[in-house]
Amino acid sequence: MSTSPALWLAGTAVGLALISALLSLLTGKATRLLRIVVMPLFAAAGLVALAAGLTAMLSGGVSTAELPMGLPWLHWHVRLDALSGFFFCVVGVVSFAVGIYASGYIRGFEGGRDSLPALGGFGGLFLAAMLTVLLADDAFMFMVAWEVMSLSSYFLVAFHHEHAANRSAAFLYLLMAHVGGLAILLSYGILATFGHGFGFEAMRGAELSFGWASAAFVLAFIGFGMKAGLVPLHAWLPLAHPVAPSHISALMSGVMLKVAVYGFIRVLFDLIGQFHWQWGIVVLTVGSISALMGVLYALMQHDLKRLLAYHSVENLGIIFMGLGLSILFLSEGHQIIGAVAFIAALYHSMNHALFKSLLFMGAGAILHSANERDMEKMGGLLRRMPWTGLFFLVGCISISALPPFNGFVSEWLTFQSALQVWQLDSGVLRSVVPIAAAALALTGALAAACFVKVYGIAFLGRARSRAVRRARPAPLTMQVGQGILAALCLLLGVLPTTFIALINIVPQQVLGHGLAQATAHGWLWLTPVSEQTASYGAPLIAVLLIVALVIGLWLMGRGVLRVRRCDAWDCGFAPPNAGMQYTASGFAQPIRRVFGMLFHIEEGVESLPDGRRRHFLRVKDRAWELFYLPIARLIEQSARRVALLQSGNVRIYLGWSFATLLFLLWVVT
Amino acid sequence: MTPAHLPLLQQVLLVLAAMTLLTSFVLLQQARLVAAIHAFAWQGVLVAAMTLIVAVSENHPHLYFSAVLTFSMKALLIPWMLHRLVRRLELDRHIEQLARPSLVIMAAVALVIFSYWLVLPIVQHGLEFTRNIVAVSLAVVLIGLLMMVVRRQAVAQVLGFMSMENGLFLAAVSATSGMPLIVELGIAFDVLVAMVLFGVFFFQIRESIDSLDVDNLNRLTESREDT
Amino acid sequence: MTILLVVLQMLLYVLLAPLLVGWIRKVKAVLQNRRGASLLQPYRDLYKLFGKEARMAHTASPLFRAAPYIVFTATWLAAAAVPLFVTQLATAGIADIIAIAGLLALARFFLALAGMDVGTAFGGMGASREMLVSALAEPAMLLAIFALVMTVHSTNLATLVDYQLTASVLRPSYLFALSALVLVAIAETGRIPVDNPSTHLELTMIHEAMILEYSGRHLALMEWAAQLKLLLYGALLVNVFFPWGIARQGDPGALASGLFFVMLKLAALGVLLAVSETVLAKMRLFRAPAFLNLALLLGLLGMLSTVVLEVGL
């Protein structure tokens, strides 16, 4: 047993998060304290967690400890290895930015009816629980922390509980989280039975047959997939994430989903430790469908936060596509390509945490300044909130996977690993993987379309409502929080080789070997497989783009590039007004029509009570009618069957109890 | 062994096989009947050309005859008959869109992969290069069948049937260098007779239910219940 | 020397791009029994636009002003990685074919945003359509790339071209990939039948609708970027599928002949494009998905034929 600095730092981070939660509950009416003490503490917890993660990855060792807590015969074990360290960084960096951002953001709630101490308290608890999940080294501690994470986030989702819709969203979230938790528990159960112990160390040694390993895999995939919002288990996500306060949405979408990814990697790659191509195909298929459906449904939304939530479904789909490819290649013995796909998935986890939190913060800033979530009422915000607009643009470019920002690097890596499919022996796999890659290409292009829509409608053009026309720039702390993440998006996009060299330790520890050749040609070149196969010189592209921009700005500053302002031309029609602009639904109409069969569209003209008529358009999630309603109906039917037992007669109940007692006695003997 | 090691004729054969597959896809999703008949004719041309190449490269003289027969039947005679039929039935401007074109195409792609998977053991067995074409011919057969399932228009269904026959013939040519001449003649004659019978049937169907949409045939059962 | 070659190629790209457009227009005019403008007319247009005053709507944001520079630079950068007349370039490594597609997507992203910036109806319409067409083109392009990579095992264009030079075999997958890429290129560069570059009929345009509000040097840059993109796709097609004549070393003789051959091939491609644009009519927007589905199907068949027909012999 060794306690390393990394582990100390990790413990400190958890402690700081808990202290911030406690302090928050103590503040009571003094909500200013929340802003100047609790949120900075939250940010500090994030920073320390980041430091712990970095230390763990840089030291390259594994540090474990046993805590004098938990059950008498089963003390809690903690362990910090490179994988946990990486996800510590993900959680830490976002929490740091969120902490800074939130101290400005929660000002909007001051004087409202909402209980701010609860917000801070559950927020701190949420962070502490997430970090504890990452630290856990036995199934018991993992499950406890996991459930605390689910519960505390439930209270955060239900924060604005005065709306019935929010309450039902939160309840659905709780329900799904529990079903998922059950699946995870069963998966651990299988591993524990064969490994003779609840510690992860014992589970690693479990000798599983293919059937039992597959059962454990399927249960873990369902459990963690539910938390990660994979289609068709995603229905709670677009309902629950948007209704929480924006900085919590950022944490949930950006970070909590990554904890689910961590859990899946931990169980499959580390604990089960065997790979079969059938699993790879399952994960790849579910990932592709999630990615595609997520982005298509996102395109149909015009509530900004719900749109972002659907994009989380898409991005988690992309992450799981990377994991699926990794399983596929590892099962066929192609270690290097497996590592490329694995790194792609990790990289995308980090990227998604950064840009999704950034975008949610942007949505929060709009909510803060203009009290508006409906994109159809926005417009022209870039001129009202220039810094938020700039950072939001960075987020949009990153999530659309465009160079030279970070989203492109991870999607490029995913493509590169898919392109190595010619190395596989099986022709069937060789023809299935390109189709999945084509789905990824379509997803990327549709995501770009979606964010052209978001940015074009919300930040460009003209304001479509009075509140938006008068929006004021967000407070400084909110801008700083966004700025940090935006800078990191650019940094990870420009220096991918350096970052990959840093996280290379994760596949080294988990898979047994890293990706030496990716970084072999210096920091300028990223060559995942070999120099001849594919290369990407991100710094050069970025430098050239920036040079062009700087020259342009310099010329503009010198007054060489002057422009004259005039009315918009618009083909010489009457001067356009705000109502003549394209709307968000109008922008998405061609795509809605082309992919019409995937949506449940209700469109028509309805009569209003006052006799006027109005066009309506509702796009509903097909998953409900195809997946959830049948299950709900099934449960209701079986419940009715069970209800037959409920005759109301006390003697019959006693009879049941008697029969049970007899049965148990028989079992015991 | 990759295509680079094959003689030129056999490279051409591969290209033709791939294009045959393409014509199958075109047949499957072509909405206009006349264009579909043209695609079918092109498929006949390709099959005849492949037969010719196999005849030249493997030196089977009787395949020359098969090639000529295929060309005259599949590329000229039957398309011409179909064309005439369509004109007489006044269907030459008929357009029938598939309900879910992308789904059908994906199903067809899955069929190609499936037939490749089926043929895989055979390919590993014998190492003749023509065996790879067996996968394509099987795919052509299956796509023809799929076409008969998804198309509602009777003429289009006949096209699917005929293209199945193309696939079978291709399989025979590539796997066993063709069937015995007498069988081949018999099949050709059968197809021709079938074509004539189909023509007669079309008129009969049209007269009795006033449409060539085979879904309308469903009503026949219901009318029995009525009586 | 290598740096010099890079600079030379990048300059050639920007200098030749208007010429290709002029050539296509000229051939089209001849096919339509017109005399047509001179080959150099696109240069004159650009020169004229650069000399004019740039005007901007009151409602335009800074993004509107920056977009032409970003669009042009991103397109130009993408072009730098596509071999034009010599394969061994120092810049060939900065972007493989997927990164090139990414750079073009970056340009398109800003183009569409600029279209939406002023807040006119036409700009939004163009942006919406452009994003639809590009979204449908992307998977087709990727599958065509897969069909190539299955045999070449590399996405670096220089390696691809080199491979094609050494092993010229008739492969069905290449035929399919070529046809798929041609369709994708037509859609991406906004040519007939997907978009009409010479139309100014409000309701049918895509690319023109997005740059409607631009004038002066901004418009010139946008037009130039579009011409550059056309040349880029042309060079990609002719050099990957018909690489003969491209220079492999840097000696002046080889370079000159490489330049000569690529111009010859591009001229032939221009004639083909002009003929097809004369014969075909522009499609309705909602026919474009069928067009791109065909490209997707061709890409799929290309990929499948590498699996079914070409490997495992």
Side-chain angles (χ1 to χ4, degrees), chain C residues 113-280:
Chain C
L113 281 183
M116 299 189 75
D117 190 30
V118 176
T120 62
F122 292 129
M125 186 185 73
S128 160
R129 293 177 172 181
E130 170 82 5
M131 294 322 280
L132 171 75
V133 169
S134 68
L136 295 173
E138 208 86 336
M141 178 159 180
L142 192 81
L143 280 174
I145 294 171
F146 258 100
L148 293 175
V149 172
M150 287 278 199
T151 40
V152 185
H153 305 166
S154 167
T155 50
N156 267 7
L157 279 171
T159 320
L160 249 164
V161 174
D162 266 347
Y163 181 90
Q164 295 285 66
L165 273 176
T166 49
S168 34
V169 190
L170 201 55
R171 283 176 193 275
S173 57
Y174 284 6
L175 289 181
F176 286 127
L178 172 63
S179 352
L181 276 180
V182 166
L183 297 189
V184 167
I186 286 174
E188 292 262 346
T189 51
R191 309 297 303 191
I192 292 173
V194 176
D195 185 13
N196 187 349
S198 53
T199 187
H200 280 91
L201 192 64
E202 290 89 351
L203 294 175
T204 61
M205 53 195 180
I206 301 178
H207 181 260
E208 293 300 312
M210 288 185 288
I211 59 173
L212 208 54
E213 296 296 330
Y214 276 113
S215 56
R217 59 174 183 275
H218 295 151
L219 181 60
L221 278 176
M222 285 294 200
E223 297 272 11
W224 207 352
Q227 294 166 354
L228 200 53
K229 194 169 165 186
L230 184 67
L231 180 61
L232 184 157
Y233 269 103
L236 188 72
L237 287 174
V238 298
N239 281 341
V240 168
F241 292 96
F242 311 99
W244 309 296
I246 197 167
R248 298 177 81 179
Q249 326 86 8
D251 65 275
L255 290 182
S257 82
L259 190 60
F260 172 73
F261 275 111
V262 82
M263 285 180 72
L264 206 65
K265 287 182 282 185
L266 283 171
L269 188 75
V271 172
L272 282 179
L273 190 63
V275 169
S276 80
E277 293 202 340
T278 311
V279 176
L280 297 172

Side-chain angles (χ1 to χ4, degrees), chain A residues 48-202:
Chain A
V48 176
L50 176 65
L54 281 177
T55 322
M57 282 204 291
L58 286 176
S59 72
V62 176
S63 38
T64 54
E66 197 176 323
L67 303 182
M69 284 196 278
L71 300 177
W73 67 92
L74 188 67
H75 285 178
W76 284 2
H77 295 264
V78 293
R79 183 170 188 266
L80 190 59
D81 58 2
L83 181 63
S84 310
F86 173 75
F87 281 93
F88 251 80
C89 290
V90 174
V91 176
V93 71
V94 174
S95 307
F96 174 58
V98 162
I100 294 176
Y101 172 90
S103 53
Y105 182 71
I106 56 174
R107 214 174 170 169
F109 295 120
E110 280 177 14
R113 283 176 306 145
D114 304 307
S115 154
L116 278 182
L119 182 62
F122 285 117
L125 190 63
F126 181 45
L127 176 60
M130 286 195 292
L131 293 177
T132 318
V133 169
L134 300 179
L135 278 176
D137 195 30
D138 61 77
F140 185 56
M141 182 178 177
F142 186 97
M143 287 314 297
V144 169
W146 182 266
E147 292 295 335
V148 171
M149 178 179 91
S150 295
L151 267 180
S152 52
S153 53
Y154 161 76
F155 286 109
L156 293 168
V157 169
F159 181 64
H160 295 295
H161 51 79
E162 57 279 1
H163 299 293
N166 296 1
R167 285 198 302 273
S168 69
F171 175 72
L172 181 69
Y173 169 54
L174 191 66
L175 187 72
M176 299 282 283
H178 266 85
V179 175
L182 194 66
I184 298 169
L185 193 64
L186 288 174
S187 174
Y188 278 133
I190 292 174
L191 289 173
T193 313
F194 285 92
H196 309 291
F198 284 95
F200 284 170
E201 204 51 60

Side-chain angles (χ1 to χ4, degrees), chain B:
Chain B
M1 193 163 154
T2 57
H5 301 110
L6 289 177
L8 184 65
L9 270 184
Q10 302 186 349
Q11 289 177 24
V12 174
L13 195 65
L14 287 186
V15 172
L16 290 179
M19 285 169 71
T20 314
L21 197 57
L22 176 66
T23 52
S24 260
F25 276 90
V26 172
L27 264 178
L28 184 64
Q29 69 165 11
Q30 182 54 259
R32 282 160 52 214
L33 268 184
V34 178
I37 293 172
H38 290 164
F40 172 72
W42 279 112
Q43 194 173 47
V45 172
L46 288 168
V47 171
M50 290 171 72
T51 317
L52 192 66
I53 289 175
V54 173
V56 172
S57 64
E58 308 218 333
N59 206 5
H60 290 298
H62 82 272
L63 281 181
Y64 286 110
F65 180 72
S66 300
V68 173
L69 189 70
T70 313
F71 183 73
S72 49
M73 294 272 297
K74 306 266 178 55
L76 298 177
L77 188 58
I78 292 180
W80 175 73
M81 286 170 75
L82 278 169
H83 214 280
R84 211 177 56 129
L85 204 62
V86 164
R87 252 180 299 137
R88 282 180 55 196
L89 291 163
E90 289 167 356
L91 288 172
D92 40 355
R93 296 199 169 262
H94 182 85
I95 285 182
E96 180 213 7
Q97 291 288 0
L98 290 174
R100 297 266 166 91
S102 45
L103 215 61
V104 171
I105 292 297
M106 284 322 283
V109 168
L111 284 180
V112 176
I113 299 174
F114 177 67
S115 48
Y116 164 74
W117 182 71
L118 281 183
V119 174
L120 212 51
I122 314 173
V123 171
Q124 280 162 352
H125 225 252
L127 285 168
E128 263 180 280
F129 81 102
T130 40
R131 303 281 166 123
N132 259 0
I133 297 172
V134 175
V136 171
S137 21
L138 188 57
V140 170
V141 172
L142 293 179
I143 292 174
L145 200 55
L146 180 71
M147 184 171 166
M148 292 180 72
V149 173
V150 295
R151 282 301 186 94
R152 287 195 314 235
Q153 226 282 338
V155 180
Q157 287 192 318
V158 168
L159 279 175
F161 176 79
M162 295 284 168
S163 97
M164 275 174 72
E165 208 280 326
N166 271 345
L168 285 176
F169 179 75
L170 196 56
V173 168
S174 52
T176 61
S177 306
M179 294 169 271
L181 200 55
I182 186 76
V183 179
E184 224 161 84
L185 270 177
I187 292 178
F189 187 66
D190 277 354
V191 169
L192 201 60
V193 170
M195 193 52 241
V196 174
L197 283 180
F198 282 135
V200 176
F201 265 122
F202 287 159
F203 283 103
Q204 290 293 327
I205 296 173
R206 236 260 288 252
E207 234 162 69
S208 44
I209 64 171
D210 201 28
S211 158
L212 275 181
D213 187 336
V214 289
D215 279 3
N216 289 341
L217 294 174
N218 299 355
R219 278 188 303 191
L220 295 176
T221 55
E222 285 163 27
S223 63
R224 198 182 56 196
E225 280 163 21
D226 292 341
T227 49

Side-chain angles (χ1 to χ4, degrees), chain C residues 17-36:
Chain C
L19 187 63
L20 180 63
V21 171
W23 166 250
I24 293 171
R25 283 189 197 154
K26 185 79 182 172
V27 177
K28 251 170 111 171
V30 170
L31 285 170
Q32 293 164 353
N33 270 336
R34 292 185 285 122
R35 201 142 47 100

